[in-house]
């Protein structure tokens, strides 16, 4: 099949597929989990290894091709439209675990369930999120708000090395000692600095936890939300939780008790024995009759049961705001915006309890911030709804920033400054100017090069 000359030149250097619009397999290669946005590049590479990534990025640098990266496609914000190169890393799924050092190494396309399963063999666990299908690299580069984060901090805090091909086509390994400026920027700066081909990160000694959820009818939303807010003020750092207001469609595969109306879902992950967990959640169970109760002692390999996130690709618009406080008045504000009778159409409005280790500086500082937030508010709904309604309505309770990992879908292609304090964003811009002065990696929550540095990185 005919391909433009540039695609032919790139294909000649690689064994992985290089496809253009109209080629068989192109649609599957460019489509990610969030179906609300889809890349439409001039060409897409299905990279098989780090060498192919290096050759592709070097080619993009030579030809001035703007470049996007995708593994699972859970969090797109800005996509290619008839131009540029998409590097798909989903084939690069290698995972290894060193039990002696408690360090895992994950390829660019690895998903969390692969790391969790590999670590569990050695009695260890990573700082994974709520979904087993999310990509390790994208999640971690955005900070990584994990099920275990109140006890251990952000996932990015535990990264020890990053293998990356920077926009000049050179492979580098960034650590606290090698390329320390790049290492700082990558841990929170997302995909602005090249294509990460592998991550190394610390694991924690967790095999089991007390976890699951309590489901309450929507007419109990006020009582449950106020009780949960008060409860979070006294729980130990070993207890992580969130509360979600769910409005699920009346169709399969949604369980019958969740269909067609408002349901309140309290999610709990407690790092302690079952009897301790039972004592902790007793006040929540007493608030109102439940529709379902799934709390139990579970191996960490069953972590996906806690949030029970949707496992099939679908279109969505996701927004977020970091909240500095959540007093009773703030709960009432949220109920007016998203509770019974509010007219809210978002499928999920969630509050995640932060604090604990999330509020303390990392041992090796990185660009991930939000240490001053006590709750993370996220919303997820179908495109075409009112995605900013709840988030904007709670803005006066917030820090003024968003968690970029929870900012995806149409209308989210804004400068990345919403994710950082001013000084941090300025530093990211300076590092971006050193490594990507032409902003080749722009299909993301983009950090614009702020300084045209004469000196290129060594």
């Amino acid at each position: 099949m005919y391909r433009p000359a540039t695609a032919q030149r790139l294909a000649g250097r690689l064994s992985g597929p290089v496809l253009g619009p109209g080629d068989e397999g192109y649609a599957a290669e460019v489509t990610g989990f969030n179906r609300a946005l889809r890349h439409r590049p001039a060409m897409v590479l299905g990279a098989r290894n780090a060498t192919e990534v290096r050759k592709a990025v070097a080619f993009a640098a030579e030809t001035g091709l703007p470049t996007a990266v995708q593994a699972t496609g859970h969090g797109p914000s800005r996509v290619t439209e008839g131009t540029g190169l998409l590097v798909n890393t989903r084939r690069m799924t290698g995972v290894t675990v060193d039990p002696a050092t408690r360090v895992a190494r994950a390829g660019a396309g690895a998903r969390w369930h692969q790391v969790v399963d590999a670590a569990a063999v050695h009695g260890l666990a990573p700082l994974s999120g709520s979904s087993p299908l999310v990509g390790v690299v994208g999640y971690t580069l955005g900070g990584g708000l994990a099920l275990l984060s109140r006890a251990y901090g952000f996932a990015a805090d535990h990264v020890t090395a990053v293998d990356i091909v920077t926009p000049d086509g050179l492979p580098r390994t960034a650590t606290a000692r090698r390329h320390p400026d790049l290492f700082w920027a990558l841990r929170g700066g997302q995909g602005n600095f090249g294509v990460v081909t592998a991550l190394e990160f610390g694991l924690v000694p967790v095999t089991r936890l007390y976890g699951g959820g309590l489901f309450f009818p929507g007419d109990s939303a006020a009582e449950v939300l106020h009780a949960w807010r008060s409860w979070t003020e006294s729980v130990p750092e070993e207890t992580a939780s969130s509360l979600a207001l769910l409005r699920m469609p009346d169709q399969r595969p949604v369980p019958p008790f969740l269909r067609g109306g408002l349901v309140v879902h309290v999610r709990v992950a407690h790092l302690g024995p079952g009897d301790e967990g039972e004592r902790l959640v007793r006040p929540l169970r007493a608030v109102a009759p439940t529709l379902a109760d799934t709390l139990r002692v579970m191996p960490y390999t069953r972590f996906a049961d806690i949030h029970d996130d949707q496992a099939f690709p679908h279109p969505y618009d996701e927004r977020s705001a970091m909240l500095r406080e959540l007093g009773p008045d703030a709960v009432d504000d949220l109920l007016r915006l998203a509770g019974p009778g509010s007219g809210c159409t978002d499928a999920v409005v969630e509050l995640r309890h932060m604090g604990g280790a999330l509020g303390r500086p990392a041992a090796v500082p990185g660009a991930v911030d939000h240490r001053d937030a006590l709750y993370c508010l996220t919303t997820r709904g179908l495109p075409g709804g009112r995605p900013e309604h709840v988030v904007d309505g709670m803005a006066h309770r917030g820090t003024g920033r968003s968690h970029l990992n929870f900012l995806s879908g149409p209308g989210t292609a804004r400068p990345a400054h919403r994710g950082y304090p001013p000084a941090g964003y300025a530093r990211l811009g300076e590092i971006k100017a050193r490594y990507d002065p032409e902003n080749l990696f722009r299909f993301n929550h983009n950090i614009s090069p702020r300084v045209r540095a004469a000196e290129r990185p060594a």
Side-chain angles (χ1 to χ4, degrees), residues 94-105:
V95 172
T96 59
V97 171
D98 184 338
T101 60
R102 295 182 177 176
V103 169
R105 179 178 176 85

Side-chain angles (χ1 to χ4, degrees), residues 264-320:
V264 185
H265 185 192
V266 177
R267 296 90 174 261
V268 177
H270 173 67
L271 292 174
D275 57 351
E276 185 176 84
E278 288 285 325
R279 287 195 303 272
L280 277 169
V281 302
R282 193 173 296 142
L284 297 178
R285 282 198 171 112
V287 173
T290 59
L291 299 171
D293 182 339
T294 64
L295 286 164
R296 66 195 189 279
V297 175
M298 62 173 67
Y300 193 75
T301 51
R302 300 293 303 181
F303 75 103
D305 294 351
I306 296 173
H307 282 234
D308 200 20
D309 291 327
Q310 292 186 22
F312 52 89
H314 59 284
Y316 53 88
D317 204 329
E318 189 170 40
R319 308 299 168 111
S320 67

Side-chain angles (χ1 to χ4, degrees), residues 433-455:
R434 288 193 65 212
Y435 287 89
D436 189 12
E438 303 304 323
N439 202 15
L440 286 181
F441 288 84
R442 67 187 72 155
F443 302 110
N444 45 36
H445 293 117
N446 193 235
I447 298 168
S448 299
R450 301 288 289 273
V451 180
R452 293 287 173 173
E455 181 183 352

